[in-house]
Amino acid sequence: MTDTAAAAEWRWTQAAEQARLVLATAPPRWVSLPRLAGVLVVTLVLLVGIALAFGPDSTVRWAVAIGGSVAGLGVVVVETIRTVRARTRHPEWEPVTKLLSGRERYAVERVVRGRAVAPDDRLDVVRATARQTAAGRAVVAVVGQLVLFTSIAVSGIGFWMIYVAVAIAWLVAVVFAFRSVIVARRYVAAR
């Protein structure tokens, strides 16, 4: 066995141990995707609607942009703190695939998406990863980033076009995050 094979085996062993810990505990409460999507859509429509209704120098537009920025940043900060605290108090919430390489993580994701079949010795890692993804905790912070950059973009500050591009990139990230959670929930429900 080469050093690379030994390192890969060690990573999978660590992931399997974490997976057993995750599967032995009660699953975390799932984030309500319809509610989160509804809040996000209302927030974005409000931000963009006010940006279009008022001029760039309008006090109302600036107030809404600042409020949206503070709310988005607040969500990101609160979710980051919540995640760090939860992982220190609950070691089972530590990501199962944390030590795996990018290629190995991709292989796990392919199994969750139904595009590949996992070997029996890797099945616990896949199930635990799907359970963690299905909880949807990571989606909240991504939504916060989208609200933050959309708020900055609609404020009309200099280089606002760059913030529009960044907001669009975060919108794509939100769509993929929602999709990952939905796919993981289907996988968990099928098992």
Side-chain angles (χ1 to χ4, degrees), residues 17 39 48 58-59 61 69 92 96 101 117 122 124 126 128 133 135 141 148 165-166 178 182-183 186:
E17 287 177 18
V39 169
V48 173
S58 171
T59 306
R61 185 172 176 172
S69 297
E92 70 272 9
V96 173
S101 70
V117 177
R122 308 280 196 246
D124 282 348
V126 173
T133 304
L148 172 65
V166 173
F178 269 87
I182 291 167
V183 168
R186 284 186 192 145

Side-chain angles (χ1 to χ4, degrees), residues 36-160:
L36 184 61
V39 169
L40 177 62
V41 168
V42 167
T43 303
L44 293 179
V45 166
L46 181 69
L47 287 169
V48 173
I50 288 177
L52 294 174
F54 295 94
D57 295 333
S58 171
T59 306
V60 173
R61 185 172 176 172
W62 271 97
V64 169
I66 290 171
S69 297
V70 168
L73 184 61
V75 167
V76 172
V77 169
V78 166
E79 282 303 311
T80 301
I81 291 170
R82 176 187 270 170
T83 300
V84 169
R85 288 182 69 196
R87 287 181 185 171
T88 57
R89 291 180 182 169
H90 302 280
E92 70 272 9
W93 290 1
E94 195 70 33
V96 173
T97 58
K98 179 173 130 178
L99 297 176
L100 297 180
S101 70
R103 209 167 117 190
E104 293 163 341
R105 282 190 209 126
Y106 180 70
V108 171
E109 289 172 18
R110 283 181 44 87
V111 174
V112 171
R113 283 190 246 134
R115 299 186 192 270
V117 177
D120 289 338
D121 61 335
R122 308 280 196 246
L123 204 51
D124 282 348
V125 173
V126 173
R127 287 182 184 142
T129 301
R131 183 190 267 190
Q132 287 180 330
T133 304
R137 295 300 323 163
V139 177
V140 179
V142 177
V143 165
Q145 291 281 4
L146 174 58
V147 171
L148 172 65
F149 285 105
T150 302
S151 299
I152 295 170
V154 302
S155 68
I157 64 170
F159 302 110
W160 63 270

